[in-house]
Amino acid sequence: MPGGATRTASFADTIGGWFRLIAMGLLVRFGFIGNTCLTTTRRTRRIPRRIEFFEGTLTSTDEIESVRIFDTTLRDGEQSPRTSFDYNDKRAIAELLDEMGTHVIEAGFPVNSEPEFEAVSDIAAATDATTCGLARVVEKDVQAAIDAGVDMVHVFVSTSDVQLQDSMHASREEAVDRAVTSVEQVRDAGLEVMFSPMDATRTNESFLVEVVEAVSEAGVDWINIPDTCGVGTPSRFAKLIALVDDHTDARIDVHTHDDFGLASANAMAGFEAGAHQAQVSVNGIGERAGNAAFEEVVMSAESLYNVDTGIDTTRITELAKLVEEKSTIPIPVNKAVVGDNAFAHESGIHAAGVMENTDTFEPGVMTPEMVGASREFVLGKHTGTHSVRKRLQELDYDPSDSEVRAVTKLVKEFGAEKEQVTDSVITRFAEEVGVSEAESEEVRV
Ligand code: MN
């Protein structure tokens, strides 16, 4: 049908056109067309890039120079409702984060309790990563963090009017004074200091600039911009980061929440706008809907932006399972990167394509091997003959085409009843249909 074919082609062109426009818009917005970014030396990738984005029209993947990972699984992650980590949980998670090359581990809130203090203190002593302890802008909080032996103290104070009035019960002036005093207290102890104007995305812009300038003058090393209530959008958040960058010499870190599902997108927008580091939690756990996910930010940086984070990505699945177990927060099956379905295929067209070339219906730039996971072909209502033949051969059958079709019909009917098509089920179907068994090793696949 020529009319249909034409329509399909023009639709594809329209979509392609949109992507090109969006890509060009981003390049122009962040100033990557016609300036130095196109002439910088390209890194050697550990895994060769096989897929061209945007039909090859994207001229550069160098929007981000470097990505540092500040993991807050043990602090904000632990603040997930109905979750707590005991001493051994914290030690085990910190050990794996450290082995994987995480740059900063926020181990906890030392003033909180004696066991918390002990955990932070022992993690600081046992890891190579920079260990960070959280503190309110209160002398005893800061002192507890210093006494715990951390490398970095993260002090925070509310700066939005709603939090100053109805949470902190303090004036803007008090907030600035206490922020400066706490930054100085950490500096005097000779430790690295990070400051967070909490609820920055709902803070009056000129007041935010005032706070940033005050703590910068006090010698802060890092300014973290928290989207505490998750109201940021990528372009607005990027503008905010650029604004803060104009008013400080400190390095910028971002802390984004997932209330609208934009946490990781906002973190990446922060990097594009000049942030050096993002705060993330494994599986995205944390307050309310959680934080930007470790696995999403690391793999976006590695696979989509071509940045070598220095993180051992092949242990991401192991890390996700460990945090799932210790936090008792189940990973959703459709969770990006680490969900059970992240590299699973059921529908006939997708499964057949992936069997021929995995790049057909996977990102291509991210494989299960890169994150220590494995690919799965699930049999069910949407299954096609390719998956059924593959599974029968794995179970030592040598099916004819008509036998494959007969078993596929049974599988689809069974799957439509919301039943799991396990190996024992498919064996039963093979016997019902009378599929012959493989005769020798040679015909096995
Ligand atoms: Mn938070």
Side-chain angles (χ1 to χ4, degrees):
M1 218 171 76
T6 308
R7 195 156 57 239
T8 307
S10 63
F11 178 68
D13 286 350
T14 307
I15 294 288
W18 288 345
F19 275 125
R20 272 192 291 276
L21 277 174
I22 292 165
M24 290 299 284
L26 286 171
L27 289 166
V28 171
R29 173 182 290 273
F30 294 106
F32 291 121
I33 283 183
N35 73 13
T36 53
C37 286
L38 295 176
T39 59
T40 51
T41 315
R42 296 184 66 88
R43 287 176 200 85
T44 311
R45 267 191 79 76
R46 285 161 295 163
I47 295 163
R49 178 176 299 280
R50 292 171 298 169
I51 295 293
E52 285 292 328
F53 295 101
F54 303 109
E55 299 176 324
T57 58
L58 185 61
T59 53
S60 166
T61 50
D62 293 342
E63 297 100 325
I64 299 172
E65 269 176 41
S66 72
V67 164
R68 285 174 53 95
I69 298 297
F70 177 116
D71 183 89
T72 186
T73 307
L74 301 179
R75 202 279 298 166
D76 202 319
E78 193 187 26
Q79 289 172 217
S80 300
R82 295 178 278 273
T83 294
S84 78
F85 295 126
D86 65 21
Y87 175 90
N88 291 319
D89 295 340
K90 285 206 163 197
R91 288 296 302 271
I93 294 167
E95 187 180 353
L96 184 49
L97 286 168
D98 189 40
E99 284 173 13
M100 290 171 67
T102 308
H103 304 90
V104 183
I105 298 173
E106 189 167 48
F109 200 172
V111 81
N112 174 277
S113 63
E114 194 56 34
E116 179 79 350
F117 181 92
E118 291 299 323
V120 174
S121 177
D122 291 352
I123 289 168
T127 55
D128 292 328
T130 297
T131 305
C132 180
L134 185 70
R136 292 169 298 180
V137 285
V138 171
E139 192 184 352
K140 71 174 164 60
D141 282 37
V142 174
Q143 196 56 49
I146 294 167
D147 292 345
V150 296
D151 308 291
M152 177 193 283
V153 180
H154 175 195
V155 294
F156 71 98
V157 67
S158 293
T159 50
S160 66
D161 289 335
V162 63
Q163 289 193 359
L164 282 169
Q165 281 159 25
D166 295 334
S167 167
M168 233 198 115
H169 307 293
S171 67
R172 286 181 175 180
E173 292 68 31
E174 284 172 284
V176 178
D177 287 350
R178 288 167 65 176
V180 167
T181 304
S182 297
V183 167
E184 286 170 351
Q185 191 184 348
V186 182
R187 291 265 305 166
D188 290 347
L191 301 181
E192 210 171 337
V193 54
M194 172 180 283
F195 172 75
S196 287
M198 184 155 72
D199 207 12
T201 45
R202 298 192 304 177
T203 295
N204 172 279
E205 209 169 272
S206 57
F207 179 58
L208 182 66
V209 167
E210 184 187 329
V211 176
V212 164
E213 287 180 344
V215 293
S216 299
E217 207 162 301
V220 78
D221 299 293
W222 288 93
I223 289 180
N224 171 51
I225 296 298
D227 182 22
T228 305
C229 294
V231 297
T233 66
S235 61
R236 293 174 203 161
F237 194 63
K239 274 187 204 152
L240 185 64
I241 297 308
L243 172 80
V244 170
D245 202 19
D246 283 343
H247 292 273
T248 185
D249 291 330
R251 286 196 280 177
I252 296 177
D253 175 269
V254 295
H255 177 105
T256 53
H257 273 279
D258 213 28
D259 297 73
F260 291 90
L262 295 173
S264 296
N266 287 337
M268 300 321 291
F271 279 121
E272 288 196 10
H276 297 84
Q277 183 168 278
Q279 302 197 352
V280 298
S281 68
V282 179
N283 302 338
I285 66 172
E287 296 273 9
R288 306 182 311 283
N291 292 81
F294 180 107
E295 60 278 10
E296 294 172 11
V297 171
V298 170
M299 291 315 296
S300 298
E302 293 271 344
S303 294
L304 300 178
Y305 291 87
N306 207 24
V307 174
D308 183 356
T309 60
I311 304 268
D312 178 1
T313 65
T314 65
R315 298 186 76 182
I316 280 180
T317 301
E318 178 189 350
L319 177 68
K321 300 278 184 220
L322 178 69
V323 171
E324 178 181 46
E325 182 203 323
K326 302 297 188 191
S327 66
T328 70
I329 300 173
I331 301 171
V333 291
N334 62 334
K335 172 76 189 61
V337 185
V338 296
D340 281 350
N341 288 357
F343 299 99
H345 307 275
E346 180 180 313
S347 85
I349 292 169
H350 285 229
V354 169
M355 276 177 217
E356 198 166 322
N357 175 356
T358 57
D359 293 350
T360 51
F361 291 101
E362 285 180 7
V365 288
M366 176 172 71
T367 63
E369 294 77 22
M370 286 167 78
V371 298
S374 46
R375 185 173 291 112
E376 191 187 358
F377 294 99
V378 177
L379 299 183
K381 180 185 172 185
H382 309 100
T383 294
T385 52
H386 287 76
S387 293
V388 171
R389 176 179 287 106
K390 183 174 189 297
R391 186 68 65 87
L392 285 169
Q393 287 170 341
E394 283 163 2
L395 293 168
D396 289 340
Y397 289 101
D398 180 23
S400 67
D401 289 352
S402 67
E403 287 166 348
V404 168
R405 282 196 297 274
V407 174
T408 303
K409 185 170 179 291
L410 293 173
V411 165
K412 290 167 81 80
E413 287 166 3
F414 195 72
E417 299 299 316
K418 301 188 196 293
E419 298 285 347
Q420 292 253 344
V421 185
T422 59
D423 282 355
S424 68
V425 168
I426 197 145
T427 303
R428 177 154 57 83
F429 291 159
E431 278 159 20
E432 271 177 39
V433 169
V435 181
S436 46
E437 289 182 22
E439 282 167 15
S440 67
E441 288 292 320
E442 286 83 60
V443 293
R444 289 187 190 178
V445 174

